[in-house]
Amino acid sequence: MNSVPGPQETGTAALDTVQANGNGSVSAENISGMVITGHHNTVITVSGNPVSTERKWEEKAHRLNTAVLNLLTREVEQLRLKQNALPIRWQSAFQGTRDIPSGTSPVSLSDLAGRLNELRPKDGWLLVLGREGSGKSILALQFAKSLAEQRVHDHTEPIPVIFSLGSWNPGTTAFRNWLIQRLERDHPFLAEKDPEGTTWAAALVEGKHILPVLDGFDEIVAARRLRALTQLNESFLPLVVTSRREAIDDVKKESGVVPAAVAIELVDLGLADSLRYLCKATRTPPPDGSIPAEHDGWPYVLGMLGARPHAQAVDRLAAVLATPLMTTLARFAYESGLPGHDPADLLDTEKFKTREALEKHLLDFFVRTAYERFLHQESAGGENGEGPPEHPWSAERARHWLGCLAAHLTKLDTTDIEWWRLGTSMPLRWIMLRVGITVGVVTGLVAGLVYGAETALLYGPAQGFAAAGLTGLGNGTAAGLTFGLMHGFVTRMKVGGPMFEPSRMEITLRGWTKEGLRKSFRPRVGGGLAGGLLFGLLWAGGVAGLCALQGFPGPAVGRIAVALLADGIGLGLVLGLIAALGAGFEKVIKRDGPDVPSDLLDTNRATVLTQLATVGVVVGTGYGITFGLTADSALAGLGAGLVSGCMIALGIGTMTAWGRWLVLARIWLPLTERLPSDLDAFLRDAYARGVLRRQGAVYQFRHARLQEHLGEAYEK
């Protein structure tokens, strides 16, 4: 058998194995080229790595498109856009790069969403402008869904993925890198390496197989918008961007930079548009132009709007209903038929003296209705198809907690509710205090129980009880101060940045690789030494101070401090080596289910607990043996090992994403009644009710205006 190399799509594949079967067929692995077999000079093409790589790529792309389409479909169903077609008007904006005819009559969102793909330049980007509540985000949602549906049948279409621009800091992260990071976070299977050594997320972005739908340019901090617009103008990726008009105008006025985009602008609805929509949505007959006799319900409100008497309340409501957001909020808030939900209140001039007051009322009533109305099982099912979530929270409490979340997002200049950042908007000194108290209390309890039991076995219960109190108080105070200060130092020095981010890796005992060790050895060992030095300095300084207060002689205090500093450095070296060796066992988690926020939390919890158990066992065993030999007592060594292992594991745990979330979001924020005790269940429930939306691994408020309103109300 002779082989003749043939053309290859990518790279050069080695001819590993060719095996003739009884029927004359040929099976091959890792072959790319032309093969001549047998006496019949049969020429066949055998594909190896190139085809398998192409198949793998298409599998990733198909999986991403399916995940995107499933999420978008759920969003459309939750907003009931299919049942009640929302009208919308639009016109061209920033003409010059391309002439676009304006929309002369109201169209449905789905119709305009389909048109966007025609308006979008294939080698440029499309900008959708509009004032708050004009329907930009809903239009982006409909557009992405329609394009994802097209890609199911036409694989040449790019995969539309919605990104919230409010979470992008263009001053610290380049645009492409930010896109890749978000894809890897929200879809962990894209963080796996492709055959070229890069991640699948990077390959999809670099290959222009992703169509980023960037929602909310105006949600970027004002000082960063010029840099953001400059990077978008320089990008060669196809883009669709939404923004409030004034955000673009401000950048243009200050710098002269304009979007290098084709632009359209969503304009206000006419009153007739809102009336037609509300009549259909509320099943109310169209008004006949006369003032209704009854003064309640939708017939009265829509009849007054249709008659248009010269009344301030009617004019005010008509102005509020000029945007799709307020129109849909009015429909949602008052269609439930709940007691006290009479839409005639919208015409009450005593309650609502201004347009702003009426808009705030609709935002408040939206939350109230979401928590009072009955949730059908099909619309309230959990994220993985389980039954409806429990919802024991009152509308008042839910509004308070949502306000706390909204204020937190405002302080962090983001729109993403990231569980690993909850509580971090408070001043660092308060975070350090909470971490220190938590570590101190737990360490004190462990030390008191261990040393108290040890003393009781040797000298009796009375002495054991006294020892428990003294050792518990001493160890707890020292550990709390040390790790509270460490938390602050690590945060300030930015060393804790990666530590405080959730890992997408899991530890497996199979498939150890040298690559992970080689890449992580120096940074992890160096980080361990730096942390050990910091720990040693704080621990030695604290203990030396306590010894000095107790009257120890100066030389003795110095020897104790030096010994503890050496212990800290040695401990850091050991921990760094453990972390470096563990990198060889880390693998990107492969998950077949949907990518939901709770998955990232569960994954990080399992990873952190595994790491801390390893650290606790290694540190506790080593320190226990050393202390036991020094004290010439196996019992003393056992006690010292238990306490040291627990203390170090607990302290290091508070400097991980899951550990800090546990301390702040699961302990302290519920204790101060800022958040519920079961936060994950509360977020899932708010998502099921439509108050929140989901984007990959994070939640967001359904409307930017809702986040702004709840945050302002909470801070008052």
Side-chain angles (χ1 to χ4, degrees):
M1 177 172 60
N2 300 315
S3 64
V4 182
Q8 301 176 6
E9 297 180 16
T10 58
T12 304
L15 187 60
D16 290 340
T17 58
V18 178
Q19 182 178 11
N21 300 324
N23 56 8
S25 63
V26 176
S27 63
E29 296 178 359
N30 300 324
I31 305 171
S32 177
M34 305 297 292
V35 179
I36 304 175
T37 64
H39 302 289
H40 303 287
N41 293 327
T42 304
V43 180
I44 63 173
T45 301
V46 182
S47 299
N49 280 339
V51 172
S52 62
T53 300
E54 181 69 21
R55 186 182 299 113
K56 190 72 173 178
W57 179 91
E58 185 54 43
E59 175 192 331
K60 299 293 184 183
H62 174 73
R63 183 175 175 183
L64 175 61
N65 192 70
T66 301
V68 167
L69 182 56
N70 289 341
L71 177 60
L72 296 177
T73 300
R74 179 178 172 84
E75 292 286 300
V76 168
E77 291 173 349
Q78 196 171 46
L79 293 170
R80 291 181 289 173
L81 298 180
K82 184 176 182 181
Q83 295 92 323
N84 301 306
L86 194 68
I88 201 165
R89 290 179 182 268
W90 63 281
Q91 64 185 18
S92 60
F94 300 147
Q95 287 183 325
T97 55
R98 179 176 167 186
D99 197 24
I100 300 176
S102 298
T104 56
S105 60
V107 297
S108 69
L109 270 173
S110 57
D111 290 340
L112 182 54
R115 182 81 188 277
L116 287 187
N117 206 29
E118 302 173 10
L119 299 176
R120 177 178 64 86
K122 300 304 179 184
D123 298 324
W125 55 292
L126 175 69
L127 177 62
V128 179
L129 299 171
R131 71 184 182 100
E132 60 181 13
S134 59
K136 303 181 297 296
S137 296
I138 302 300
L139 178 61
L141 172 66
Q142 285 276 40
F143 165 73
K145 180 176 178 293
S146 65
L147 192 60
E149 290 173 336
Q150 292 181 34
R151 199 191 184 281
V152 173
H153 308 289
D154 182 3
H155 293 177
T156 62
E157 291 284 354
I159 305 167
V161 182
I162 297 179
F163 299 86
S164 292
L165 279 173
S167 61
W168 176 36
N169 183 350
T172 59
T173 310
F175 177 57
R176 288 199 181 204
N177 293 341
W178 177 73
L179 292 178
I180 293 168
Q181 291 171 7
R182 283 300 182 267
L183 285 172
E184 292 175 354
R185 182 198 70 182
D186 296 341
H187 306 280
F189 61 91
L190 296 181
E192 299 172 16
K193 299 289 186 179
D194 70 357
E196 301 298 324
T198 186
T199 65
W200 290 105
L204 289 172
V205 171
E206 296 297 337
K208 296 185 179 181
H209 301 296
I210 300 292
L211 172 60
V213 181
L214 308 174
D215 189 24
F217 177 86
D218 53 283
E219 295 172 7
I220 298 176
V221 178
R224 303 170 183 167
R225 289 174 187 164
L226 173 59
R227 184 170 293 184
L229 182 57
T230 301
Q231 291 195 38
L232 294 179
N233 280 342
E234 294 173 350
S235 175
F236 289 97
L237 295 173
L239 304 172
V240 174
V241 184
T242 71
S243 177
R244 296 181 189 180
R245 176 79 184 236
E246 57 267 25
I248 298 294
D249 288 342
D250 289 345
V251 175
K252 179 182 177 182
K253 181 179 179 180
E254 293 176 6
S255 64
V257 177
V258 297
V262 171
I264 67 170
E265 183 173 12
L266 306 183
V267 297
D268 286 352
L269 299 175
L271 180 59
D273 303 330
S274 300
L275 283 177
R276 278 193 297 269
Y277 170 74
L278 288 173
C279 286
K280 182 178 179 181
T282 62
R283 298 179 178 86
T284 301
D288 57 8
S290 62
I291 297 178
E294 300 293 334
H295 287 193
D296 60 3
W298 277 115
Y300 169 67
V301 174
L302 299 181
M304 291 293 287
L305 288 171
R308 290 305 301 270
H310 293 289
Q312 188 178 31
V314 175
D315 292 339
R316 185 180 299 132
L317 180 57
V320 168
L321 296 179
T323 62
L325 172 60
M326 290 299 160
T327 303
T328 54
L329 287 182
R331 180 261 298 174
F332 178 85
Y334 287 101
E335 72 176 355
S336 61
L338 294 170
H341 289 230
D342 185 356
D345 290 344
L346 297 173
L347 296 174
D348 190 331
T349 55
E350 293 298 322
K351 289 184 179 179
F352 315 115
K353 300 183 183 298
T354 64
R355 172 179 171 176
E356 290 74 18
L358 186 53
E359 290 179 343
K360 290 180 179 179
H361 165 74
L362 286 175
L363 291 166
D364 279 332
F365 228 57
F366 166 71
V367 176
R368 173 182 167 182
T369 302
Y371 281 87
E372 290 181 354
R373 69 183 300 181
F374 174 76
L375 274 177
H376 296 286
Q377 183 167 348
E378 61 267 22
S379 64
E383 296 172 26
N384 295 316
E386 69 271 16
E390 295 182 2
H391 40 89
W393 304 286
S394 67
E396 186 67 24
R397 297 304 300 161
R399 185 178 181 276
H400 173 76
W401 292 327
L402 291 168
C404 178
L405 289 171
H408 162 78
L409 297 181
T410 301
K411 291 177 181 178
L412 294 182
D413 292 327
T414 185
T415 57
D416 293 345
I417 302 175
E418 299 166 316
W419 58 261
W420 58 93
R421 299 183 73 188
L422 290 174
T424 59
S425 58
M426 70 177 70
L428 180 58
R429 62 181 180 274
W430 291 111
I431 298 177
M432 293 166 60
L433 178 63
R434 285 160 170 77
V435 169
I437 291 176
T438 304
V439 173
V441 169
V442 177
T443 299
L445 288 173
V446 172
L449 289 173
V450 171
Y451 290 130
E454 178 184 330
T455 304
L457 288 174
L458 295 175
Y459 305 106
Q463 288 82 355
F465 182 79
L470 290 175
T471 56
L473 180 61
N475 280 269
T477 302
L481 285 172
T482 299
F483 283 104
L485 290 171
M486 279 192 69
H487 196 97
F489 279 119
V490 167
T491 303
R492 285 295 187 192
M493 293 187 299
K494 308 299 183 183
V495 178
M499 296 175 66
F500 294 139
E501 294 288 333
S503 173
R504 295 183 300 270
M505 312 297 286
E506 66 177 347
I507 298 175
T508 174
L509 297 180
R510 294 182 298 176
W512 187 85
T513 60
K514 293 181 180 179
E515 181 182 2
L517 175 63
R518 184 174 62 254
K519 290 182 177 180
S520 65
F521 186 83
R522 291 182 63 184
R524 294 199 179 189
V525 172
L529 283 171
L533 176 61
L534 179 59
F535 172 78
L537 287 171
L538 293 173
W539 187 254
V543 173
L546 290 175
C547 291
L549 290 175
Q550 295 177 16
F552 280 61
V557 172
R559 287 193 299 271
I560 292 173
V562 171
L564 291 177
L565 177 60
D567 286 345
I569 296 174
L571 176 64
L573 177 61
V574 170
L575 294 180
L577 288 172
I578 293 173
L581 292 173
F585 295 98
E586 291 179 350
K587 304 293 181 185
V588 176
I589 296 171
K590 296 182 178 180
R591 189 167 61 244
D592 296 327
D595 301 308
V596 295
S598 57
D599 285 347
L600 192 58
L601 175 61
D602 294 340
T603 296
N604 197 241
R605 179 195 298 116
T607 301
V608 169
L609 288 177
T610 302
Q611 293 171 340
L612 296 185
T614 304
V615 167
V617 169
V618 172
V619 171
T621 301
Y623 190 80
I625 292 174
T626 303
F627 191 87
L629 293 174
T630 304
D632 197 21
S633 171
L635 185 60
L638 177 61
L642 284 173
V643 173
S644 62
C646 290
M647 180 187 68
I648 297 299
L650 176 64
I652 293 176
T654 62
M655 288 181 283
T656 64
W658 176 75
R660 187 158 68 171
W661 171 84
L662 182 65
V663 171
L664 299 179
R666 290 290 286 165
I667 298 176
W668 285 102
L669 291 179
L671 279 177
T672 55
E673 297 187 347
R674 298 182 186 181
L675 290 177
S677 57
D678 193 347
L679 180 60
D680 185 51
F682 176 72
L683 294 176
R684 286 188 286 109
D685 181 73
Y687 171 62
R689 295 175 190 273
V691 178
L692 301 179
R693 64 187 179 189
R694 182 166 64 80
Q695 192 172 93
V698 300
Y699 290 107
Q700 299 170 340
F701 279 90
R702 174 64 64 187
H703 310 288
R705 180 73 187 279
L706 178 63
Q707 174 186 324
E708 178 183 338
H709 169 69
L710 290 174
E712 290 176 353
Y714 178 83
E715 294 290 356
K716 288 183 179 179

